[in-house]
Amino acid sequence: MAMKVRSLRAVYFSVWIVVCYFILSFYFLPRGHPRHGQSTFHNHGSTHCLPRLSTDDISSALSFNDSCAAYSPFFPSEPNPPRIARVMVRYGTPMEPYEQRAVKTHMKNSIVHGTDLHMLCDAVVDSYWNKQAFLLRLMLEEMGKREEDRLEWLLWMDGDTVVLDQCRPAWSYLPPGYGGDGKEGRKKQELRTKKNSSNDEDHIGLNAGIFFLRVHPWSITFLLSILSFPTYNPAITLPHAEQSAMQKLLALPQFRPHVAYTPWEFFNTYPGSSDGARRYRESANNETENLGGEMWARRGDWVIHFAGHRDGKRRREKMTDWLDAVDATGNIWEEDRVQRDLSDPIRGFWKASGLDIR
Ligand SMILES: *[C@@H]1O[C@H](CO)[C@@H](O)[C@H](O)[C@H]1NC(C)=O
Ligand SMILES: *[C@@H]1O[C@H](CO)[C@@H](O)[C@H](O)[C@H]1NC(C)=O
Ligand SMILES: *[C@@H]1O[C@H](CO)[C@@H](O)[C@H](O)[C@H]1NC(C)=O
């Protein structure tokens, strides 16, 4: 009898494990092939620093997915959305709770849009240069894969960024018609290369804390050049380390033509005044003029960047204010509370630069 109970228990236990395995593997385990509709989170280094998602986090992401699909203009995605992975770095002291909340907004956005997130959890080189070192490592890994299996873009995000609009996908910023490895996509890429060979398929929209980098040999050369900059230019001082090296290199003729600088407000808006978070939550759709410049975040913007908040306490307070505001805001598309939809300006930007290849 005791035997029977034990074996029954064993059966229940293993069934439970299998169910957990499927639920967990859906969200967390690495997979061999890129795919759409599923996201995977990767910790790199000897420690794991990505926060664990609770069942509430996951169900919130899934209900955003439903609500975004029903109300936002980003679903269904364009026919061949480019394969994009988000890349972040966080090492040193354990993440504080507000930092975990910030990273979770990125994890949620990854779930909603079925994209991967790579996080480097241990420094591999000197401080800031870990950004390029990690991007280079991922870039080399991707270039080692078959073209149809590769990611097409890496999206860098600083740790002091928060996703405001979960419905907006990363691909909405890229030149239209650019994605996809289908026959059609390739044909378009060939066409475009013929049309303008000076702007090949390897532009990056650069911003200090947030930028897209095309998976391409050009990007490997670029990242290597940044990392080796101090070695070859010992006399040049770099006030902002790798960022200064990046800027100096991007001014050179071999790099400059392959870069697109996007307007500030596209994906790098700032918190603005001390009651910015309250205004974000409460102001009417047409009440934006009192915000001042275009670079201050408003509902409809994708990501907010808390750049320059070196004071840890102020940074914590400000980010917490905004995280609370974002949690209280819900899906602005469903509630018809969008203050700024950048979709048209983004399309206009690529059209004006000749890179809209649809
Ligand atoms: C999100 O919604 C889309 C469209 O309804 C669906 O195809 C996709 O599977 C959903 N993703 C997840 C993770 O449920
Ligand atoms: C915003 O819209 C409301 C309602 O239509 C109107 O009463 C108000 O004057 C508008 N405010 C501004 C700043 O345009
Ligand atoms: C395309 O090439 C033409 C001719 O060289 C040049 O005038 C134009 O600026 C280029 N367009 C882009 C987007 O680089």
Side-chain angles (χ1 to χ4, degrees):
M1 189 60 187
M3 190 65 180
K4 207 166 171 189
V5 169
R6 225 182 12 241
S7 62
L8 255 183
R9 257 196 213 140
V11 170
Y12 282 122
F13 189 61
S14 49
V15 169
W16 181 230
I17 295 266
V18 170
V19 172
C20 284
Y21 176 81
F22 279 114
I23 294 170
L24 292 173
S25 64
F26 184 77
Y27 292 109
F28 301 114
L29 295 184
R31 277 147 201 277
H33 286 278
R35 67 274 105 188
H36 288 122
Q38 285 174 12
S39 55
T40 313
F41 304 132
H42 307 262
N43 289 282
H44 295 259
S46 61
T47 54
H48 283 202
C49 59
L50 278 171
R52 275 189 194 287
L53 294 182
S54 66
T55 47
D56 281 353
D57 293 327
I58 291 173
S59 59
S60 156
L62 295 180
S63 66
F64 261 108
N65 187 61
D66 288 344
S67 162
C68 293
Y71 296 98
S72 80
F74 309 111
F75 290 74
S77 67
E78 63 172 36
N80 266 315
R83 292 184 298 272
I84 306 170
R86 207 175 287 241
V87 183
M88 303 179 82
V89 166
R90 178 60 166 78
Y91 53 86
T93 54
M95 274 189 219
E96 291 190 38
Y98 80 95
E99 294 175 290
Q100 295 198 346
R101 285 177 73 192
V103 171
K104 279 183 179 183
T105 67
H106 290 286
M107 297 170 84
K108 244 191 218 182
N109 198 230
S110 303
I111 292 177
V112 172
H113 300 287
T115 53
D116 287 0
L117 190 156
H118 292 269
M119 172 71 93
L120 178 66
C121 299
D122 295 284
V124 290
V125 292
D126 245 11
S127 66
Y128 290 114
W129 302 81
N130 279 290
K131 177 194 285 193
Q132 280 78 17
F134 187 42
L135 283 167
L136 177 61
R137 168 180 165 181
L138 294 174
M139 196 63 80
L140 288 168
E141 271 169 20
E142 291 304 316
M143 285 306 298
K145 296 177 184 170
R146 291 187 308 173
E147 197 181 345
E148 57 269 34
D149 292 338
R150 272 177 216 156
L151 292 168
E152 293 166 277
W153 296 87
L154 299 181
L155 164 61
W156 171 265
M157 283 282 176
D158 270 3
D160 56 354
T161 55
V162 168
V163 175
L164 298 175
D165 178 16
Q166 289 297 351
C167 295
R168 185 174 275 282
W171 60 254
S172 69
Y173 287 101
L174 295 172
Y178 215 87
D181 43 31
K183 228 173 158 183
E184 196 58 20
R186 225 186 287 283
K187 212 164 71 195
K188 282 179 180 167
Q189 285 187 16
E190 277 163 24
L191 265 181
R192 205 178 62 68
T193 311
K194 280 196 193 113
K195 212 171 90 192
N196 220 326
S197 55
S198 72
N199 257 296
D200 222 317
E201 54 192 48
D202 41 352
H203 29 266
I204 63 172
L206 173 76
N207 217 305
I210 304 167
F211 57 86
F212 289 87
L213 195 54
R214 180 100 166 118
V215 174
H216 190 277
W218 182 93
S219 304
I220 294 179
T221 307
F222 179 55
L223 292 167
L224 282 170
S225 304
I226 299 171
L227 285 164
S228 56
F229 193 94
T231 307
Y232 291 108
N233 304 280
I236 299 183
T237 52
L238 299 171
H240 298 108
E242 37 73 55
Q243 204 172 292
S244 305
M246 211 163 166
Q247 272 156 12
K248 285 183 196 302
L249 286 164
L250 286 176
L252 300 179
Q254 65 265 48
F255 294 122
R256 180 66 192 94
H258 305 286
V259 181
Y261 290 92
T262 57
W264 193 336
E265 68 271 19
F266 275 18
F267 45 68
N268 195 34
T269 50
Y270 280 21
S273 63
S274 56
D275 71 340
R278 185 191 58 75
R279 287 190 194 183
Y280 175 84
R281 201 174 57 229
E282 292 173 5
S283 52
N285 290 358
N286 61 0
E287 251 179 67
T288 51
E289 76 290 348
N290 57 358
L291 283 175
E294 294 295 305
M295 77 278 267
W296 308 122
R298 51 199 75 179
R299 291 193 306 276
D301 293 343
W302 188 39
V303 169
I304 185 172
H305 188 194
F306 296 82
H309 288 80
R310 299 231 172 266
D311 171 2
K313 184 163 168 283
R314 257 183 54 97
R315 184 166 173 254
R316 181 190 311 116
E317 282 167 6
K318 201 149 216 178
M319 284 180 74
T320 302
D321 271 359
W322 277 84
L323 285 158
D324 290 346
V326 170
D327 281 349
T329 302
N331 183 1
I332 54 170
W333 298 96
E334 178 169 356
E335 294 154 15
D336 195 14
R337 298 194 70 225
V338 177
Q339 293 180 302
R340 169 160 65 188
D341 178 2
L342 284 164
S343 303
D344 284 340
I346 293 169
R347 271 191 287 273
F349 174 82
W350 292 122
K351 222 177 187 75
S353 58
L355 291 170
D356 183 341
I357 55 162
R358 278 173 308 182

